[in-house]
Amino acid sequence: MGLEENLPNGILLASLEKVVNWARKNSLWPATFGLACCAIEMMTTGGSRYDIARFGMERFSATPRQADLMIVAGRVTQKMAPVLRQIYDQMAEPKWVLAMGVCASSGGMFNNYAVVQGVDHIVPVDMYLPGCPPRPEMLLDAILKLHAKIQDEPMGPRRAALRAASGERTEIIPSSVKYAKK
Amino acid sequence: MFDALKGFGVTFSNMFKKVATEEYPEIGAPAAPRYHGRHQLNRHPDGLEKCVGCELCAWACPADAIFVEGGDNTEEERYSPGERYGKDYQINYLRCIGCGLCVEACPTRSLTMINFYELADDNRQDLIYTKEDLLAPLLPGMEQPPHPMRLGDNEQDYYVNGPELARDRGVPSGETVETSEEKAMQ
């Protein structure tokens, strides 16, 4: 992803990977890509009732260069697709994509010639969030699941290859179970 | 000169007001009692499936999210009372818009919705829920199909005496087998 890829093997420790991933997941700045009704729920999630600031994400960035996470909220039309791809390309690495709602994830009920049948035809998607539109809790749940994935992300191509060979995957646990009060 | 202090005063007074934030992951997943969450395929009180494989839910679905394939019950292998059962049942949650038209279309009250909504996943394959994922858990007194009809001689007995059968199995009065499992979370 950056400098760490050029470091020789054996110098970076697994604990450094954990620290870097912890820092990345705790200040994940989203790029606003609100396209339809899902964006209303996304704005609600940023409001005081659901308070996305609790997860260090209150700074919805209007500039792609300062964003780490693109929340694609709403149906993507064929005309919007190149714009979306350009915004994604302008974001600095490391970057993640969250497909919010059924339309962004698969086209949803708009199975027609105007709508892209899933935003993963254009950009790599890290988390799919169903719902029409998903309620703010569902968005928070998807974000927390994405945080768990970021925490387990390997640093550098060698560690990534090792992880791919071991077949290890981050377990997707419902957030209300994972963070339940003991 | 005092304008700045006045402004800070507004901020300061908010420190003593009730916090509006809902502490979501810690307090569980709150939803209204009839919230349209994930689907559930219900069972008769003896564990036989209510789905008869009629495909009305798939026809009602405006997003084409449901796939149903019916199969014939035999005396040796019985999954539901009556002739047919849902052999294959899939709901694609990346298409489902949670409108509930499938629930309205279901003639046997087999398909209902529960409050669970934390569905997000990192691949499209896992979000196509199959029959194993959707079937209701076995409550006490229920038996995993296939097995013969335990509560009557034919399917008429199951449908006509449904509420009494449920009450005999310990479902409280005024509730159905379905609602006893979809209690709203506090």
Side-chain angles (χ1 to χ4, degrees), chain A residues 45 50-52 54-55 129 135-146 175, chain B residues 22 24-25:
Chain A
T45 315
Y50 299 99
D51 201 9
I52 204 171
R54 290 180 289 157
F55 311 106
L129 171 60
R135 56 190 291 155
E137 283 101 338
M138 290 171 84
L139 179 58
L140 288 178
D141 172 58
I143 284 167
L144 289 170
K145 281 170 177 168
L146 186 63
S175 299
Chain B
E22 180 188 77
Y24 154 63

Side-chain angles (χ1 to χ4, degrees), chain A residues 48-51 54 102 105-106 108 117 120 126-128 130 132 135 137-138 141 145 149 169 174 176 179, chain B residues 20-26 28-31 35 63 93-97 117-124 127:
Chain A
S48 56
R49 172 92 193 256
Y50 299 99
D51 201 9
R54 290 180 289 157
V102 290
S105 302
S106 79
Q117 297 298 303
D120 53 359
D126 296 284
M127 189 59 67
Y128 297 90
C132 186
R135 56 190 291 155
E137 283 101 338
M138 290 171 84
D141 172 58
K145 281 170 177 168
K149 273 190 78 181
R169 279 187 67 217
S176 66
Y179 298 100
Chain B
T21 309
E22 180 188 77
E23 300 286 333
Y24 154 63
E26 291 88 10
Y35 179 70
Y93 278 98
L94 289 184
R95 290 268 177 202
C96 173
I97 56 170
Y117 54 74
E118 290 165 314
L119 294 163
D121 214 321
D122 61 352
N123 63 85
R124 288 174 83 150
L127 279 159

